[in-house]
Amino acid sequence: MAWTVAPESFDTPDAALLRRDYYDEVASRYWGRPATGEEIVVGLTGDGAERLAPPTGLFVVGRHGGRAAACAGLLLIDAGTAEVTRVFVRPAFRSTGGGGLLLAAVESAARESGVSRVRLDTRNDLVEARGLYAKHGYREVPAFKRGPYAEHWFAKDL
């Protein structure tokens, strides 16, 4: 089965469900228990997803065999920097190449916007994510922002 990755509004039904699944997974891992439906709704409320649309950003959805299976966002920080966010591949589709395609799509969009560097932050427990970023040329850098969920910082020059 082949992957396709294309820009999509963050609030389409497929994108909204992917964002929900993303938050469910990261919250559940963080708390060490399944997140409740209410906790997921609270976490998604006011999460800034509306900035993942032009002119401040972009949201992409990856489909595997036509099924919505992955997503990623890009947030323009300044004229030279963008932040990669909400990178998520549903567990059933991991290790099939989707993560690399998501990164390539947001990096391409960043280049088209004139950005020369992309960065991101992640947590200790998101081991698969850290491996994906390292595999695709991201290197660990000093902290560029603080927050309760930022424990590793990565950047890549485009």
Side-chain angles (χ1 to χ4, degrees), residues 95-107:
S95 298
T96 63
L101 292 172
L102 292 171
L103 292 175
V106 294
E107 290 167 10

Side-chain angles (χ1 to χ4, degrees), residues 74-78 80-84 110 115-120:
L74 183 74
L75 181 61
L76 300 175
I77 303 299
D78 58 40
T81 308
E83 193 164 311
V84 177
V115 168
S116 58
R117 185 173 205 205
V118 289
R119 68 185 193 190
L120 59 91

